[in-house]
Amino acid sequence: MDLHEIALRPVAREEEARFKDLLDAHHYLGAVAKIGHTLWYVATWQGQWLALLVVSAAAWKCAARDRWIGWDRRYQFDRLHLIANNARFLILPGAHVPNLASRVLALLERRVRADWPVCFGHPLWLLETFVDPRFHGTCYRAANWLAVGESRGFRRTRAGYGNRAERPKRVFVRALIGNARTRLCAPFLDPRDRHGAPKMLLTADQMRALPEFFADIPDPRRGQGRRHPLPAALGIAAAAVLCGARGYKAIAAWAADLSQQARARFRCRYRNGRYEVPSRTRFRDLLISIPPEHLDRALQGWNAQMAGADEGLALDGKTLCNAIDEQGRQNHILGAVGHQSQVCYTQKKSPPSP
């Protein structure tokens, strides 16, 4: 068999049943659902199927991988779309020939780097995979993948990660561009490489500081309608938008996911032994009643204080593009979150990436 004659291609729709059956029959983990960012590949030689591969979204958390990259955990979630996981790799029975696995992996690197932007609208900079300790990962090492440590053994589930650690796996990574680590851990991400709204994590100090800057805004609500403190509600709304929420429903969902500890940092209403957050309706009614200039002044004041110690936090694009009210004023991002809006980060001038 001439390895240069091997081709790697996506699995056609009419071949998907065969692909799944082969994985279920011969891979110890079985098939994986084709959900979200997932691509299925088959390696062939003269029409014969030799190997099956699945590439899917990266693991949410992997300490070994994250240490190797060196990125700040606060905004690593804005970069995870640039990483993909080789979730399955199966050499089919009867196709085990020397150097086949490393050849297929080399083909995968070139193929998935070209296919990913076409299918999902953004580039791919890094591949990762997790190898069970019963195997040595020899084919990955031969294909120049780098072993960066072991996982902690927690499995990703529909509800998040399992509470019980199982057998740790060896973690391998393979950069698809020359400066992958530098670009992944940089404070700023080129707008061309973003996917969806910017997403980041706020520190505890940043959460505590937000309500203080909204404290001087006059409360437009009537006395009986002031169930939640105004600074807390506006601080949560601002934090949600900074973390990627778009729309009143998304802000309310982000708020509902806050832990009791996080709610305490925002100084939320405390009732019956728990901190409460506003509902979607209350967020909407409040945000549309606050003058945009008040929101602008408060948020920019917070940003001026916090961005000095965190270069990745500087805000720009604070107003809604082409959104003008009856008086000819441009609506602030927090006052118009119910429509298509944008928040972007000020990017310091630097030489263009190669």
Side-chain angles (χ1 to χ4, degrees):
M1 180 185 297
D2 186 350
L3 296 181
H4 295 285
E5 296 178 357
I6 296 173
L8 186 73
R9 62 172 177 80
V11 175
R13 184 178 298 273
E14 61 272 15
E15 299 172 324
E16 291 184 353
R18 177 187 178 190
F19 184 91
K20 293 172 61 177
D21 289 343
L22 288 171
L23 280 178
D24 281 331
H26 302 294
H27 197 286
Y28 75 101
L29 291 176
V32 59
K34 195 175 185 181
I35 299 175
H37 286 30
T38 303
L39 294 177
W40 289 354
Y41 290 105
V42 57
T44 64
W45 177 74
Q46 298 182 356
Q48 176 186 350
W49 283 27
L50 302 178
L52 312 179
L53 301 101
V54 175
V55 181
S56 56
W60 291 339
K61 301 176 184 178
C62 176
R65 176 203 65 196
D66 297 338
R67 283 194 302 268
W68 179 81
I69 294 173
W71 55 13
D72 189 314
R73 66 175 296 273
R74 288 196 312 100
Y75 44 80
Q76 73 183 55
F77 295 102
D78 199 31
R79 321 287 168 86
L80 281 174
H81 65 280
L82 298 167
I83 305 175
N85 179 17
N86 177 206
R88 297 289 188 275
F89 183 22
L90 171 67
I91 302 294
L92 291 171
H96 291 271
V97 298
N99 303 317
L100 173 62
S102 56
R103 173 62 178 170
V104 171
L105 287 173
L107 292 173
L108 175 67
E109 294 174 24
R110 293 193 290 269
R111 182 79 205 214
V112 75
R113 184 180 175 185
D115 289 345
W116 207 262
V118 175
C119 296
F120 306 120
H122 57 81
L124 193 60
W125 293 352
L126 185 73
L127 288 175
E128 67 182 13
T129 195
F130 299 88
V131 177
D132 192 279
R134 76 182 78 174
F135 308 111
H136 300 292
T138 304
C139 64
Y140 289 101
R141 298 179 193 273
N144 295 317
W145 288 56
L146 179 66
V148 296
E150 292 187 346
S151 70
R152 296 175 59 191
F154 292 98
R155 295 186 60 187
R156 184 172 173 175
T157 65
R158 182 173 299 180
Y161 279 89
N163 296 323
R164 186 178 61 182
E166 299 180 4
R167 183 161 44 185
K169 296 185 177 181
R170 296 187 178 94
V171 182
F172 290 82
V173 297
R174 175 62 172 164
L176 299 181
I177 59 174
N179 54 350
R181 293 172 70 185
T182 301
R183 294 176 68 177
L184 282 169
C185 66
F188 305 105
L189 193 62
D190 190 299
R192 295 170 297 181
D193 300 324
R194 293 176 183 157
H195 181 63
K199 299 176 286 293
M200 61 181 296
L201 295 178
L202 297 179
T203 66
D205 288 341
Q206 289 164 352
M207 290 182 184
R208 294 189 189 99
L210 264 171
E212 298 176 4
F213 289 88
F214 293 102
D216 294 332
I217 294 180
D219 196 329
R221 300 171 295 180
R222 294 177 298 178
Q224 63 268 33
R226 300 182 181 182
R227 180 176 182 180
H228 299 277
L230 180 69
L234 294 179
I236 290 174
V241 171
L242 286 169
C243 294
R246 291 295 178 270
Y248 304 118
K249 184 177 180 179
I251 290 176
W254 188 90
D257 286 340
L258 289 172
S259 66
Q260 287 294 302
Q261 187 178 24
R263 296 181 186 191
R265 294 175 189 141
F266 284 108
R267 295 186 284 282
C268 293
R269 181 192 189 206
Y270 190 76
R271 182 171 177 267
N272 296 329
R274 293 181 59 82
Y275 291 96
E276 298 180 343
V277 295
S279 65
R280 178 183 62 85
T281 302
R282 292 184 182 275
F283 275 121
R284 182 199 63 197
D285 293 345
L286 183 60
L287 289 173
I288 63 178
S289 65
I290 302 293
E293 60 270 19
H294 291 177
L295 295 169
D296 174 54
R297 184 166 54 249
L299 190 55
Q300 291 304 310
W302 173 84
N303 178 70
Q305 175 176 304
M306 291 296 169
D310 187 346
E311 61 178 343
L313 195 63
L315 289 174
D316 197 6
K318 60 184 177 298
T319 52
L320 179 66
C321 292
N322 303 319
I324 307 296
D325 63 15
E326 305 82 41
Q327 288 75 39
R329 299 174 303 181
Q330 190 168 30
N331 289 334
H332 189 274
I333 180 67
L334 295 183
V337 292
H339 305 281
Q340 183 178 359
S341 55
Q342 67 178 30
V343 169
C344 58
Y345 300 100
T346 300
Q347 188 156 356
K348 296 182 179 178
K349 294 186 180 297
S350 58
S353 301

